[in-house]
Amino acid sequence: MTALPALKPDGFTYQDYLAWPDQERWEIIHGEAFAMTPAPSTRHQVLVGNLFFEIKKSLLAGKSPCAVFTAPTDVVLDERTVVQPDLFIVCDKARVTPKSIQGPPDLVIEIVSKATAFKDTVIKKQLYEEFGVTEYLLFFPDLDLVERHVLDKGRYLPPERFNWDATLALHAFPIQLHLWEIFERDFPPAKPSPVQN
């Protein structure tokens, strides 16, 4: 089990984070350190891979200047907040440095597990809202469900939910995700083969 770095009265900073061992994965939210969960499940990785493929393909087709990234990529929101979203899009190239992303992405996607549910649905939702992430998507692999939060006047609107058989048109980008393809479900349902006499 990963040991918590020595506590600091005023919380941790990005400079503290850079000094921690490379083999350990952490996030810092408002100075509080959160150990990343053990290696993600294969289902988690399948969803990240499918999302990356579809989003990258759409961005390239539209000749978009935006770039899509996956964890582990450091996103430095301020000196006391560093996160590693599962997948995110950045359109401002000035925010992309050789070591990290400096500032909030335009879209963030997290794949929710039992171990990360509270952090993803409460702590990170508040964080991304605070830092102005335009669109935040939560994928629930166990439910084949997606929850979307869209920023409006500095606050997230009530969440929208999409079942696996829906097409989700991203709010921040001209990209449509066929969720049955992301979740690798058959849609439309396969027709029964004709009876052979």
Side-chain angles (χ1 to χ4, degrees):
M1 182 176 177
T2 303
L4 184 70
L7 292 172
K8 294 179 64 178
D10 54 349
F12 297 105
T13 68
Y14 182 49
Q15 294 307 310
D16 296 324
Y17 174 89
L18 291 176
W20 296 343
D22 289 340
Q23 66 270 25
E24 297 179 5
R25 290 184 57 206
W26 294 86
E27 292 181 309
I28 304 174
I29 298 177
H30 295 312
E32 182 178 353
F34 291 84
M36 303 290 281
T37 56
S41 68
T42 54
R43 174 78 166 150
H44 176 287
Q45 296 300 75
V46 165
L47 293 185
V48 170
N50 291 346
L51 284 162
F52 181 87
F53 175 79
E54 291 299 330
I55 291 172
K56 180 76 171 179
K57 182 174 65 174
S58 296
L59 291 175
L60 288 173
K63 298 182 180 178
S64 171
C66 305
V68 57
F69 297 87
T70 61
T73 303
D74 288 342
V75 174
V76 183
L77 297 175
D78 65 21
E79 186 56 26
R80 301 176 73 247
T81 303
V82 187
V83 291
Q84 293 186 355
D86 288 321
L87 187 143
F88 59 94
I89 300 175
V90 177
C91 294
D92 183 352
K93 290 185 177 179
R95 294 183 178 181
V96 181
T97 74
K99 290 192 172 183
S100 63
I101 306 301
Q102 297 288 322
D106 298 273
L107 175 142
V108 169
I109 297 175
E110 298 283 9
I111 313 298
V112 181
S113 68
K114 289 179 181 178
T116 67
F118 182 77
K119 185 167 72 167
D120 290 338
T121 61
V122 178
I123 297 174
K124 282 191 167 182
K125 174 181 168 284
Q126 293 171 352
L127 182 73
Y128 295 144
E129 180 180 68
E130 175 187 346
F131 281 92
V133 174
T134 303
E135 188 168 4
Y136 179 36
L137 300 178
L138 293 154
F139 276 71
F140 295 85
D142 295 340
L143 302 172
D144 287 353
L145 179 78
V146 180
E147 183 174 284
R148 172 166 63 188
H149 300 271
V150 175
L151 201 67
D152 181 57
K153 299 176 183 174
R155 298 298 302 270
Y156 282 137
L157 297 171
E160 302 169 87
R161 293 183 179 88
F162 302 84
N163 198 37
W164 67 267
D165 56 357
T167 295
L168 193 163
L170 296 184
H171 176 80
F173 301 92
I175 296 174
Q176 292 195 342
L177 298 175
H178 301 307
L179 296 181
W180 60 92
E181 295 176 352
I182 304 301
F183 286 113
E184 298 190 343
R185 296 280 299 265
D186 290 332
F187 186 81
K191 295 179 181 178
S193 301
V195 177
Q196 300 293 327
N197 291 330

